[in-house]
Amino acid sequence: MLSRRKKGFTLIELLVVIAIIAILAAILFPVFAQAREKARMISCLSNSKQIGTGMMMYSQDYDEDIVPWISRTGLPRGSNSRDDLSTWVDLLQPYIKNGQPIRQHGLADKAGYPPEGMFKCPSFNPSTFVQAADMPDCDGAGALDSWVPPLQYFANYGISFPTGPTGSCVADDPYFNFPGSTIGSSMSIAAVTRPAETAITSDGFTGLIDIGRFTVGTTMGCEASNSHQGGGNFTFLDGHSKWIARNAERYEVTDPQGCIYKKYFTLDK
């Protein structure tokens, strides 16, 4: 009489296999997460590049002027959607034809309606955005608490607005002079000394906010410092875009006269 013994895994063998799978998962999952975030960063960078192209087209039609971050529509103020104001997102629509904000009327709370089309960054995280803004070398703790969440996002990107010369040219207070156009004031790209190294948009925020009154806010610069794997995407005044590690406002240059200035945020050096 023949006897056949069934072969199978022992308990020890099964435990070893499970342990190996667990180790591989622990190693690979972070890699997959990084790859996914890298893809999102590339998608966001593509959006930034298309925004840059739209800005160049706008400038060609408006005597080389930089698109204003905000302008008046001529409509009555009306509801809290601020129909009397157009943002740079609206002004670029004839050139981009993607992501037109649909103004939400009658908003009474911070609904946080998301942006549309290419003005929506797949990596945007309100908590990460606020953490970057809260840093001592950015806006400072609590500076944007009343902004986020907003009533409505128009873009997960922000645009530069004119600041005028600021800083005292020393290491702990570097000189900077953001470019940009606004209501009643336009700036030409020709006024910028280094267009290819002067940022005009970044990962960030443009939206409708309630700060005791309904208005539009935007951010550009240091708030982008941790938008994508320890850095942020920026668009420059020659139309190109790139990722910059850490806080882009901490990149400083010394001119021949010994003045220290912010490399990417100074239009006149």
Side-chain angles (χ1 to χ4, degrees), residues 136-138 163-178 249-255 258-263 265-266 269:
D137 60 353
C138 194
T163 60
T166 306
S168 57
C169 285
V170 296
D172 59 349
D173 187 22
Y175 177 90
F176 62 94
N177 190 357
F178 280 55
E249 293 192 42
R250 301 302 297 169
Y251 290 75
E252 298 172 355
V253 179
T254 303
D255 71 10
C259 177
I260 299 172
Y261 63 93
K262 296 182 179 182
K263 178 179 180 180
F265 305 95
T266 305
K269 286 188 176 294

Side-chain angles (χ1 to χ4, degrees), residues 2 9 92 96 98 102 104 106 108 133 139 161 171 173 185 241 255:
L2 297 175
F9 292 109
L92 289 183
I96 293 177
N98 185 290
I102 301 172
Q104 304 293 332
D139 301 314
F161 46 88
D173 187 22
S185 175
S241 298
D255 71 10

Side-chain angles (χ1 to χ4, degrees), residues 199-212:
I200 185 64
T201 73
S202 73
D203 288 307
F205 172 103
T206 301
L208 186 65
I209 57 177
D210 180 2
I211 53 173

Side-chain angles (χ1 to χ4, degrees), residues 118-155:
M118 73 169 59
F119 290 94
K120 182 176 182 178
C121 176
S123 291
F124 182 79
N125 184 308
S127 297
T128 302
F129 170 75
V130 170
Q131 287 172 3
D134 283 349
M135 295 299 292
D137 60 353
C138 194
D139 301 314
L144 297 184
D145 285 355
S146 62
W147 287 39
V148 180
L151 282 78
Q152 180 180 358
Y153 291 101
F154 298 147

Side-chain angles (χ1 to χ4, degrees), residues 45 47-57 59 66-67 158-160 179 189 192 194-203 220-221 232-245 248-249 251 262-267:
L45 187 61
N47 291 346
S48 299
K49 173 59 180 174
Q50 292 181 71
I51 289 170
T53 299
M55 287 185 165
M56 294 299 99
M57 296 170 68
S59 294
I66 299 170
V67 61
I159 189 171
S160 178
I189 293 178
V192 180
R194 299 172 295 108
E197 289 187 311
T198 305
I200 185 64
T201 73
S202 73
D203 288 307
M220 202 285 291
N233 293 327
F234 289 79
T235 301
F236 294 80
L237 278 168
D238 66 344
H240 88 280
S241 298
K242 73 174 182 177
W243 177 85
I244 299 176
E249 293 192 42
Y251 290 75
K262 296 182 179 182
K263 178 179 180 180
Y264 300 119
F265 305 95
T266 305
L267 68 91

